Amino acid sequence: MQNWRCTVCGYIHVGDAPPDFCPECGAPAEFFEKVSEAPEEALPGPGRPVAAAPVTRPERKFAPLGPEEKRLAEPSMFKISYGLYIVGSQAGGRLNAQCANTVVQITSDPLRVAIGINKQNFTHGLISASGVFSVGVLGQDGHDLVHHFGYQSGHQVDKMQGMEYRLGRTGSPLVAGCLAYFEGEIIPEKCIDAGTHTLFVADVVSGEVLRDEEPMTYAYYRATRTRR
Amino acid sequence: MQNWRCTVCGYIHVGDAPPDFCPECGAPAEFFEKVSEAPEEALPGPGRPVAAAPVTRPERKFAPLGPEEKRLAEPSMFKISYGLYIVGSQAGGRLNAQCANTVVQITSDPLRVAIGINKQNFTHGLISASGVFSVGVLGQDGHDLVHHFGYQSGHQVDKMQGMEYRLGRTGSPLVAGCLAYFEGEIIPEKCIDAGTHTLFVADVVSGEVLRDEEPMTYAYYRATRTRR
């Protein structure tokens, strides 16, 4: 038995060979390197950090950013990379889907994700009521879907009308044309009220890849979008 | 006064002209389209969702995925797009930094981010103890930094030794060579214990862009990495 470290995310796999894919970040086996057979914690070195996992903090040290500080800091946020996704849900017989970019995996065991949704969006209410949602991963051919689901609101129109979709295990719509889908069931006590948005934390309850192509990133969309 | 909808994320801006950049997702002004002057909530349409913002759910409907279900679902996670970042912190006079890919903005007012960090990582302990961290956004020339900060652990070596960095406002290390930096102060009551990982939710307390170049994405890193 060896320890194998994922050279991208640091995940340690224990076994005779590295896993086919890193369960944390998806890196393929070639990204694993053999590390010491001793558990990391037992190795000599700079020592354990001054406090372990529990997250505590006696008091806030930093005041909220003033307008000028915020103006300076804000452009750094635009350097964060995102994909583009269609997030759907169903509640009370109503279906809707919207575009979203804040979609991340947060653990691999269990498969757990977080998605950020603006509270004013129609889909937010559906997710809150039903506790479930679907995520479709857009491919690089997904411009029409961004246009349809991102440019109008379920508050005003029935975006599902005339669109091709099927219902997933949770009853959420899986919009045709995405590369991959997964569905999540939220964990209410772990969801975060983030002011304008809710960060829904959810266990994955289904998933599949239909086309093994490159996902649409937000940067790709921005670079290739044409005005309609 | 008009309402302007960000055609990427749905954000509504009220004003005579669209904002230069969407405060939610960073889309430039050209991505905004004029929408009805009435507030979205007041417009006729499919109606309001069956429940509003509060996140509640009476009981779990879906059992945890079995091994075969998980095997089918897991590849869909690998279609989620990420950037690559250097996350640093300082506590008790100890400095460290590591690679991370789970970094997202969750609100723009206030500037608020979430980062996912494995509890076994040395940096996790530093963030938990100090309540603060730095994020450096890697550029497409960041391979050496990924190698240095991602291929070894602060449990074993002092990764900062011999590296060029300065300390940010929070005392966290800003590693030289990144495109952009920001620092966050965690909000303990909003951080999520996600099992193997903590999702640290934090208010941004500083930020700057040093080079306006394309960020390193995880996909780009994977496509361009060479074995050392």
Side-chain angles (χ1 to χ4, degrees):
Chain A
M1 297 286 273
Q2 298 283 345
N3 285 345
W4 303 84
R5 174 184 294 280
C6 173
T7 56
V8 173
C9 75
Y11 177 78
I12 299 288
H13 170 86
V14 181
D16 293 322
D20 291 340
F21 289 97
C22 176
E24 288 298 336
C25 72
E30 59 160 333
F31 284 7
F32 277 79
E33 293 187 348
K34 198 184 291 186
V35 293
S36 161
E37 292 180 54
E40 182 176 85
E41 287 69 20
L43 291 171
R48 301 288 295 165
V50 292
V55 174
T56 56
R57 189 186 53 188
E59 53 185 294
R60 301 290 297 269
K61 296 176 200 154
F62 297 94
L65 295 181
E68 177 62 13
E69 289 174 310
K70 186 176 177 184
R71 193 187 65 76
L72 287 168
E74 199 151 38
S76 65
M77 302 284 99
F78 305 153
K79 292 297 183 186
I80 298 173
S81 296
Y82 298 96
L84 273 179
Y85 309 91
I86 305 290
V87 172
S89 190
Q90 175 176 186
R94 293 173 192 157
L95 285 165
N96 197 49
Q98 65 160 82
C99 285
N101 61 1
T102 304
V103 173
V104 292
Q105 180 177 3
I106 52 175
T107 70
S108 63
D109 189 20
L111 289 185
R112 189 167 282 175
V113 297
I115 68 171
I117 299 290
N118 192 310
K119 290 179 181 175
Q120 299 198 340
N121 287 2
F122 193 78
T123 307
H124 186 282
L126 300 181
I127 298 172
S128 298
S130 66
V132 292
F133 60 84
S134 59
V135 175
V137 181
L138 287 167
Q140 292 186 343
D141 58 355
H143 292 74
D144 287 347
L145 293 173
V146 176
H147 190 262
H148 182 82
F149 287 102
Y151 289 29
Q152 49 190 350
S153 168
H155 287 301
Q156 293 151 16
V157 297
D158 178 0
K159 287 194 263 185
M160 305 312 294
Q161 197 170 22
M163 297 304 288
E164 189 183 345
Y165 63 91
R166 58 191 164 93
L167 298 182
R169 184 183 181 197
T170 67
S172 304
L174 309 183
V175 172
C178 294
L179 296 188
Y181 302 91
F182 54 88
E183 293 175 279
E185 182 175 34
I186 68 173
I187 308 167
E189 65 275 17
K190 291 195 183 291
C191 293
I192 296 175
D193 180 341
T196 55
H197 288 61
T198 298
L199 198 68
F200 290 108
V201 172
D203 282 327
V204 173
V205 299
S206 83
E208 60 181 327
V209 174
L210 296 188
R211 288 187 284 147
D212 192 16
E213 299 170 12
E214 286 300 306
M216 173 96 89
T217 62
Y218 179 55
Y220 183 88
Y221 174 70
R222 204 163 41 180
T224 55
R225 176 178 182 269
T226 53
R227 299 290 293 173
R228 313 271 165 165
Chain B
M1 297 287 271
Q2 297 283 345
N3 285 345
W4 303 84
R5 172 183 294 279
C6 173
T7 56
V8 173
C9 75
Y11 177 79
I12 299 289
H13 169 86
V14 180
D16 292 322
D20 290 341
F21 289 95
C22 176
E24 289 296 337
C25 72
E30 58 159 335
F31 283 9
F32 277 78
E33 293 187 349
K34 197 184 293 186
V35 292
S36 161
E37 293 182 52
E40 184 177 83
E41 287 69 21
L43 290 172
R48 302 287 294 166
V50 293
V55 174
T56 57
R57 188 187 53 186
E59 53 186 294
R60 302 289 297 270
K61 296 176 201 155
F62 297 93
L65 295 182
E68 176 62 12
E69 290 173 309
K70 186 176 178 185
R71 194 187 64 78
L72 287 167
E74 199 152 37
S76 65
M77 302 283 99
F78 305 153
K79 292 296 183 185
I80 298 174
S81 296
Y82 297 96
L84 272 180
Y85 309 91
I86 305 291
V87 172
S89 189
Q90 176 176 185
R94 295 174 191 156
L95 283 165
N96 196 49
Q98 67 162 82
C99 286
N101 61 3
T102 303
V103 173
V104 291
Q105 181 177 4
I106 51 174
T107 69
S108 63
D109 188 20
L111 289 184
R112 189 167 283 175
V113 296
I115 68 170
I117 299 291
N118 192 311
K119 289 178 180 176
Q120 299 198 340
N121 288 1
F122 193 79
T123 307
H124 186 283
L126 299 182
I127 298 173
S128 297
S130 65
V132 293
F133 60 84
S134 59
V135 175
V137 181
L138 287 167
Q140 292 185 342
D141 58 355
H143 293 75
D144 287 346
L145 293 173
V146 176
H147 190 264
H148 182 82
F149 287 102
Y151 289 30
Q152 49 190 349
S153 169
H155 288 301
Q156 295 153 13
V157 298
D158 179 359
K159 288 194 263 185
M160 306 312 295
Q161 197 169 21
M163 298 303 289
E164 189 183 344
Y165 64 91
R166 58 192 163 92
L167 297 182
R169 185 183 179 197
T170 67
S172 304
L174 309 182
V175 173
C178 294
L179 297 188
Y181 302 91
F182 54 89
E183 292 175 281
E185 181 175 36
I186 67 173
I187 309 168
E189 66 274 18
K190 291 194 184 290
C191 293
I192 296 175
D193 180 341
T196 54
H197 287 62
T198 298
L199 197 67
F200 290 109
V201 172
D203 282 326
V204 172
V205 300
S206 82
E208 61 182 324
V209 174
L210 297 188
R211 288 187 286 146
D212 192 14
E213 298 170 14
E214 287 300 307
M216 174 95 88
T217 62
Y218 178 56
Y220 183 88
Y221 173 71
R222 203 161 42 178
T224 56
R225 176 178 181 268
T226 53
R227 300 289 293 174
R228 315 265 165 167

